[in-house]
Structures are given as C-alpha cells and as structure tokens.
Amino acid sequence: DQVVAHARGPALTPVPEPVDVCRVVRVAVDVVARAIPRAPSIALDLPTLPPIRTDERLLALLAMYVVRDVVEATVVTRDAAVDVTARPERRGDGVEIMVAGRGCRSGGGRLGLGIGLARDLAAALRGDVEVVSSNEDSIVVLIRVPTMP
C-alpha cells in the first residue's frame, strides 16, 4: 500500500476559478500537435461556452493526456483524423469534451498511460473519463468536468 501511495505522488488539490474550457482545449490540442510532428489532422468544434469553475492547470493536463493518447493511437493515412468537440454537460452545469480518432493502428486502437493519468486528474476535478468505444477503426473518449463550488 505504501509503495502504491508513493508511486501516485501527492494528492491533487484543485484550485477552482472561472475557466474558459474551449481556450484550454485549443491550447492543449496545439501543444499535442506541435509535440507529435506526424499527427493526423485535428479538427476542433469548440463553440462559445460560458466559463465553468474548475482548476485550469488540471483541466489542461487532462485534455493534453487524452488528446495525445488518441492522436498516438491513430496512423497518419488519408482517412485518419482526430475530432475534438466540447458542449455543455447534459446532466449538469459542467462540460463534456469528446475526443474521437479515426484510422487506428492495426490491432485496434489502444490507449497509452495517459488515459490512466487523465482519469486521476478528472477524479480530482470531480469528473470522469470514459472510453466510449475502442475498436480496430476508431477510438472515442468522453471527458466530463462539472463546475466546482
């Protein structure tokens, strides 16, 4: 138990503030696209959303980990692409961010270690990360982040 606690590191303590989620996601996608030179095309559908109270730093890391894992699971082909969308959360006053990749590597779309880290970050923000689908052709990951008090 002590080894696991040490490996996880210190507890993530969010500092809520009003955050423009779409701006944070745009920056995260830009960082990933620059870090992976052979990344497939990444399309953004980020409408104007009202700010939510959350921790901007943790949200940025969360978005980068998920986008990076989905981008790395795709192969650069004519049909490969990654779509990133954001919308108001259906069941609350937070947001949902969907990251979908088409044109996955042979053997199915496998996500890396980033998805586990993303789940820890989402939990710290009182949200979650769900792999909606993962098959030989595509991967869809849904991030839900509620507004914090």
Side-chain angles (χ1 to χ4, degrees):
D1 291 336
Q2 290 177 340
V3 172
V4 172
H6 179 71
R8 285 191 178 264
L12 299 170
T13 306
V15 179
E17 60 184 324
V19 173
D20 178 346
V21 173
C22 293
R23 182 186 57 76
V24 170
V25 171
R26 273 189 207 90
V27 170
V29 167
D30 186 53
V31 168
V32 171
R34 289 173 190 234
I36 304 174
R38 296 192 56 161
S41 68
I42 303 174
L44 301 176
D45 180 9
L46 304 173
T48 302
L49 298 174
I52 66 166
R53 284 188 54 81
T54 192
D55 185 298
E56 183 170 345
R57 177 182 57 94
L58 297 181
L59 178 62
L61 288 170
L62 166 59
M64 280 190 286
Y65 283 136
V66 171
V67 171
R68 187 195 69 203
D69 268 13
V70 172
V71 165
E72 288 182 344
T74 60
V75 179
V76 180
T77 64
R78 191 170 19 131
D79 299 328
V82 174
D83 298 314
V84 180
T85 61
R87 65 179 179 239
E89 188 179 31
R90 290 181 214 171
R91 55 185 176 179
D93 55 359
V95 296
E96 293 180 344
I97 304 163
M98 185 171 294
V99 183
R102 296 183 311 277
C104 296
R105 298 184 189 283
S106 64
R110 293 192 182 105
L111 296 170
L113 295 174
I115 199 73
L117 296 170
R119 284 184 171 132
D120 289 345
L121 291 164
L125 296 173
R126 299 171 30 184
D128 66 353
V129 173
E130 177 186 358
V131 179
V132 177
S133 73
S134 178
N135 58 46
E136 291 185 15
D137 299 324
S138 66
I139 295 175
V140 178
V141 179
L142 181 62
I143 303 167
R144 290 184 199 91
V145 180
T147 194
M148 299 179 88

